[in-house]
Amino acid sequence: MIDLIPAIDIIGGRCVRLTKGDYASQTVYDDRPEAVARQFEQAGMSRLHVVDLDGARSKHVVNTGVLRLITENTRLTVDFGGGIKTDSDIETAFDNGASMVTVGSVAVADPQLFMRWMDRYGAGRLILGADVRNGFVSINGWKEDSRQALLPFLDYYIRRGVRQVLCTDISKDGTLGGPAVALYREVMAAYPDLYLIASGGVSSADDILALEEAGVPAVVFGKAYYEGRITPGDLQALQSR
């Protein structure tokens, strides 16, 4: 059964969603992200993906207060990403309750630092973020495209012990246009033992089932829930199969 991971994206301490990573397109859904986290917990979720969009844009962790509110007021296992660039950033995330962190830009810009964190914290606490646009990995809040093609980028780190990858197709993110099933199927064909977390474009429970049929182990969803296209009942039905 595919693992369901709801997402809370944060700007200015509020729960928001962007479209294709465009900060000018943000929609605010709630002023209290910790209350949204409790809703997910009440719907039977056990894990949560929290994205510090202010941190991603400013290149350092910003919304640690929100992270702490979520981890202190729920029992959710939280993975946190956005703006983790330094030892201080990753320590701050863990100190404020994150169980795991998602790191993408550093993996592109400073592989030695990423691997040092792997050695220090272990593959179980570090998720490789692979945000993709036109086949290449994007960094720094999706503002910059690197020259790293997706599969060679993944291969480099999987060979060095990475077990978890969060892969977002930026062209799909926030569009409710359906996920990039073919892309994720290609990744799973190359790395069948990888814990791949698909992200971007999920619009319905049927989309989640399509990813499951493609062999994807986990999925992140957000906007579809906030827009009422995926309901708490849908989540319970998906989990009770």
Side-chain angles (χ1 to χ4, degrees):
M1 182 183 299
I2 193 167
D3 293 338
L4 306 177
I5 306 174
I8 293 179
D9 294 356
I10 305 166
I11 291 179
R14 300 183 295 179
C15 175
V16 308
R17 292 297 291 177
L18 307 182
T19 300
K20 299 183 181 181
D22 181 4
Y23 282 76
S25 71
Q26 65 180 270
T27 301
V28 177
Y29 287 101
D30 203 295
D31 291 332
R32 299 179 62 214
E34 71 277 13
V36 177
R38 285 196 295 271
Q39 290 176 20
F40 285 128
E41 186 175 39
Q42 290 164 3
M45 302 293 96
S46 60
R47 182 165 164 179
L48 179 67
H49 177 56
V50 176
V51 183
D52 182 355
L53 289 174
D54 291 315
R57 182 163 50 179
S58 61
K59 301 184 182 181
H60 63 87
V61 171
V62 174
N63 285 290
T64 52
V66 175
L67 172 62
R68 180 171 289 278
L69 279 172
I70 290 171
T71 57
E72 287 183 345
N73 288 282
T74 72
R75 296 181 180 179
L76 294 166
T77 297
V78 176
D79 76 75
F80 180 83
I84 297 176
K85 308 290 187 185
T86 65
D87 290 337
S88 176
D89 288 324
I90 196 169
E91 289 165 6
T92 295
F94 286 134
D95 288 346
N96 283 277
S99 297
M100 293 169 278
V101 295
T102 299
V103 178
S105 298
V106 163
V108 174
D110 193 345
Q112 289 185 337
L113 178 57
F114 183 92
M115 290 309 304
R116 180 157 60 79
W117 289 346
M118 274 278 290
D119 291 340
R120 179 174 180 182
Y121 298 106
R125 302 191 76 190
L126 203 62
I127 302 167
L128 176 63
D131 300 327
V132 184
R133 181 162 41 214
N134 299 322
F136 292 88
V137 178
S138 291
I139 59 175
N140 296 327
W142 301 349
K143 296 193 300 294
E144 303 171 36
D145 292 335
S146 76
R147 296 182 179 180
Q148 296 267 12
L150 176 62
L151 287 182
F153 175 74
L154 296 182
D155 189 72
Y156 177 87
Y157 284 108
I158 290 169
R159 290 178 180 273
R160 287 159 177 78
V162 162
R163 300 201 307 264
Q164 304 180 85
V165 171
L166 173 66
C167 185
T168 303
D169 184 329
I170 297 169
S171 70
K172 299 282 190 178
D173 192 72
T175 66
L176 299 174
V181 176
L183 171 67
Y184 303 126
R185 186 180 287 114
E186 180 182 9
V187 173
M188 293 309 303
Y191 307 105
D193 296 326
L194 179 67
Y195 187 79
L196 177 66
I197 307 166
S199 172
V202 171
S203 66
S204 66
D206 286 342
D207 284 340
I208 293 174
L209 292 173
L211 289 167
E212 182 178 67
E213 290 172 4
V216 177
V219 58
V220 163
F221 62 93
K223 191 171 186 177
Y225 178 87
Y226 301 124
E227 296 285 345
R229 297 192 182 199
I230 294 176
T231 67
D234 290 331
L235 297 179
Q236 292 166 0
L238 286 165
Q239 292 179 99
S240 63
R241 290 174 299 126

